[in-house]
Amino acid sequence: MGRDAGGAANKINLIPQDFFAELCEQIIHHLNHKIPGVNTAELCQRIQTSGIEINIGDLAKIANILSFLFSTAARNNLSTEELVTTLGSAVSTLPKHALQVIRHVWNEQGKSITAAEDARNVATVGQFVDMKWKLGVAMSSDTCRSLKYPYVTVTLTVADPSGQITDKSFEMTIPQFKNFFRQFKEMASVLETV
Amino acid sequence: MAAPEPPPPEGSRPLSALLGGIAQAAFHGNAAVTDELLRGQLYPEAPPEEFRALRAKMGGLLQSIASADMDLNQLEAFLTAQTKKQGGITSDQAAVIAKFWKNHRTSIHESLINQSRWDNVLKNMNWRVDLKSQLRHIDQINTPVAIVEMEVGKNGQC
């Protein structure tokens, strides 16, 4: 765990114990394939709402480090004490409550991570989580008073290969949306016949 | 070379082409269509002041028509009013403008719509269906999976 871990470890200080426990749980569930990924954006928002100033980049870094820690420990079938030893000098920089949570989470759920989730075999494609849409009409703009332009905005929630969940939004004209819809219809029919 | 006919300054072809040039510059973002180019190509005999006035008047009318996305009824009413105004247009000019708008309304409106699409757009989409035959996690064996690649980006950018 290099220099970067040191910086992130400082930020771990900021995260209250219950949020830290929740983060570790989500990471374990992701490594277990129980959930497609860790919703860092949502967790970050809740942490910020409680008055803690942490940004999503730092939270994502911490999540990645913990994920690496747990998956390495799983691959090597480490006991809780062995896991703590792996932390090495970082142990002294981690807040006591964080170490406590890591021990507890590993004790309870470490074994459940199916053996040898080799980092090399992690999917190179993301996983679809959710889709939201809305139909809007732009009535007017600075260049055209009578625009009357209907469009569809879609937000895709995707878990990227590393497990981070992000939202991606984009806008389509009605003809573009019809094409979009048609593509998915084709996919659906192929999925059924395969 | 035949004796040149005096080009009718308000002849339909130059005016129609002028409207096309104005539309290119104002709506389709074509910076190459300058006033100098238009004057030289379409009204070479016209004094600059006169051309400027014509260009400004036509530009203003086209702007109003495009901004309101006028249908044929609105257009007729609008142009008729313009012919009755002091310093307005002739009924010949009105006819040329009407014909131009009928032919170009859709493409001009589309350009205006494009100018107001600032968020991410879907540029491209590809997909394939895989059949996973062997996986670490038993419950996913022999499940067909659709993999979709979407290219999302700002309108007009690569």
Side-chain angles (χ1 to χ4, degrees):
Chain A
M1 291 188 148
R3 201 172 356 115
D4 206 36
N10 287 337
K11 300 289 161 58
I12 290 183
N13 278 327
L14 297 172
I15 308 177
Q17 181 162 8
D18 50 354
F19 283 121
F20 187 75
E22 197 182 327
L23 178 61
C24 288
E25 296 258 339
Q26 274 201 43
I27 290 169
I28 299 276
H29 289 323
H30 166 59
L31 292 173
N32 266 341
H33 301 270
K34 289 209 182 94
I35 57 174
V38 177
N39 204 338
T40 30
E42 194 265 339
L43 186 60
C44 189
Q45 198 162 41
R46 278 193 285 129
I47 295 175
Q48 285 171 346
T49 307
S50 76
I52 312 284
E53 278 189 39
I54 186 167
N55 70 51
I56 192 167
D58 289 331
L59 191 62
K61 271 206 191 103
I62 293 169
N64 278 338
I65 290 166
L66 290 168
S67 188
F68 178 72
L69 174 71
F70 288 133
S71 63
T72 306
R75 198 181 329 133
N76 294 300
N77 268 314
L78 299 184
S79 69
T80 311
E81 283 319 308
E82 287 167 330
L83 171 62
V84 172
T85 313
T86 312
L87 290 167
S89 58
V91 168
S92 52
T93 56
L94 283 174
K96 287 228 173 354
H97 72 259
L99 198 50
Q100 210 175 353
V101 167
I102 290 174
R103 278 175 185 271
H104 176 77
V105 164
W106 192 251
N107 272 337
E108 298 286 304
Q109 310 194 48
K111 299 283 178 290
S112 70
I113 301 179
T114 16
E117 186 55 55
D118 201 307
R120 283 186 294 277
N121 287 346
V122 165
T124 53
V125 297
Q127 190 176 335
F128 170 78
V129 175
D130 190 23
M131 172 164 129
K132 300 191 275 277
W133 61 267
K134 75 171 185 246
L135 171 67
V137 180
M139 295 305 295
S140 195
S141 77
D142 61 319
T143 53
C144 182
R145 219 179 58 236
S146 182
L147 199 60
K148 293 171 304 190
Y149 152 58
Y151 60 90
V152 176
T153 302
V154 165
T155 299
L156 292 176
T157 307
V158 172
D160 73 21
S162 75
Q164 303 277 6
I165 293 185
T166 53
D167 276 354
K168 298 199 196 321
S169 293
F170 52 89
E171 182 183 301
M172 291 175 274
T173 63
I174 300 303
Q176 285 174 336
F177 175 70
K178 285 187 174 155
N179 178 53
F180 181 76
F181 170 68
R182 190 176 48 81
Q183 303 271 9
F184 279 95
K185 257 180 90 168
E186 272 181 52
M187 257 183 263
S189 90
V190 172
L191 283 168
E192 266 166 41
T193 58
V194 161
Chain B
M1 191 158 126
E5 295 176 54
E10 288 152 19
S12 62
R13 272 177 58 212
L15 181 59
S16 192
L18 176 63
L19 292 171
I22 293 172
Q24 275 294 311
F27 306 121
H28 303 299
N30 192 341
V33 181
T34 60
D35 284 3
E36 258 319 293
L37 180 77
L38 291 174
R39 187 178 81 87
Q41 297 257 318
L42 304 173
Y43 297 90
E45 310 295 314
E49 263 315 304
E50 205 180 287
F51 173 77
R52 258 198 288 277
L54 178 67
R55 195 245 181 271
K57 191 193 304 190
M58 292 301 140
L61 291 176
L62 203 50
Q63 195 67 251
S64 297
I65 295 168
S67 189
D69 193 31
M70 290 186 192
D71 61 28
L72 296 181
N73 289 331
Q74 294 168 310
L75 183 67
E76 201 187 307
F78 177 73
L79 290 175
T80 306
Q82 292 296 318
T83 57
K84 298 195 157 76
K85 260 173 65 172
Q86 181 74 272
I89 58 177
T90 68
S91 50
D92 283 346
Q93 287 174 322
V96 173
I97 295 169
K99 185 167 173 205
F100 180 81
W101 182 243
K102 276 182 206 148
N103 289 330
H104 293 92
R105 178 186 179 189
T106 307
S107 71
I108 289 177
H109 195 67
E110 268 178 31
S111 278
L112 288 171
I113 284 174
N114 234 9
Q115 285 177 27
S116 68
R117 296 181 79 201
W118 311 303
D119 296 324
N120 283 331
V121 298
L122 181 63
K123 290 175 179 260
N124 202 10
M125 181 167 139
N126 300 305
W127 59 269
R128 70 172 201 260
V129 170
D130 282 4
L131 186 62
K132 287 190 187 286
S133 58
Q134 199 178 17
L135 260 193
R136 294 182 178 283
H137 307 287
I138 314 292
D139 58 0
Q140 287 175 38
I141 281 184
N142 283 328
T143 309
V145 172
I147 299 178
V148 182
E149 180 184 69
M150 291 187 210
E151 196 186 327
V152 170
K154 295 277 183 254
N155 198 18
Q157 291 175 12
C158 288

